[in-house]
Amino acid sequence: CYASLLFSPFTRPALSDSVYSESEGLLLNNLCELLSLFVRNHGQQAISFILSSHVVKSILKLLNLKQKWLVLSAVRFFRIFVDVDNSTLRNYIVTQNLFDGIIQVFLNNGSKYNLLDSALL
């Protein structure tokens, strides 16, 4: 499957507490945007890939980075992912505790009013 190859940068082991170079970060950002587009426009095919590959968990590891623009990419993807009207997806989100990372980012941001706060709300 070409999608597995395309999104393989998310499955690399060093995807948490790292600092990525600008080119690596841009690649991850663009892949988040591309997957968001797939989720919005290609419904069931994208959902079946996401559920089989667990790529969402890998994307949510971006929430632990110090590079806030990559954290924002993960948050934007998750907002689109949650917005899909699909009971299987909702069940996956709940059973895999995918909101935990988003809630932690919100709590860590505190009372700061910034772009991250706006993206989370």
Side-chain angles (χ1 to χ4, degrees):
C1 174
Y2 292 116
S4 299
L5 181 62
L6 179 64
F7 294 102
S8 64
F10 284 119
T11 59
R12 289 188 204 143
L15 196 61
S16 62
D17 290 336
S18 299
V19 175
Y20 289 99
S21 69
E22 186 175 348
S23 61
E24 290 173 322
L26 286 172
L27 174 65
L28 294 173
N29 179 53
N30 289 338
L31 288 175
C32 281
E33 294 297 322
L34 186 61
L35 195 56
S36 297
L37 178 80
F38 288 165
V39 168
R40 258 187 266 141
N41 297 325
H42 299 287
Q44 195 55 45
Q45 294 93 348
I47 290 168
S48 64
F49 168 72
I50 288 169
L51 294 179
S52 66
S53 68
H54 301 288
V55 73
V56 175
K57 286 184 175 183
S58 299
I59 290 173
L60 291 180
K61 289 180 183 177
L62 294 174
L63 297 173
N64 300 325
L65 298 176
K66 291 181 171 76
Q67 295 161 304
K68 295 301 179 194
W69 59 282
L70 285 172
V71 174
L72 285 169
S73 293
V75 169
R76 283 192 302 265
F77 165 76
F78 194 70
R79 287 185 68 169
I80 291 168
F81 183 67
V82 167
D83 195 37
V84 174
D85 188 24
N86 185 313
S87 60
T88 306
L89 261 179
R90 283 191 211 115
N91 188 36
Y92 179 76
I93 290 167
V94 171
T95 57
Q96 299 296 317
N97 297 319
L98 298 181
F99 272 111
D100 290 349
I102 299 291
I103 292 170
Q104 191 60 46
V105 168
F106 183 72
L107 293 174
N108 289 344
N109 194 45
S111 61
K112 300 174 194 167
Y113 185 71
N114 54 20
L115 188 59
L116 184 57
D117 188 51
S118 296
L120 288 166
L121 297 177

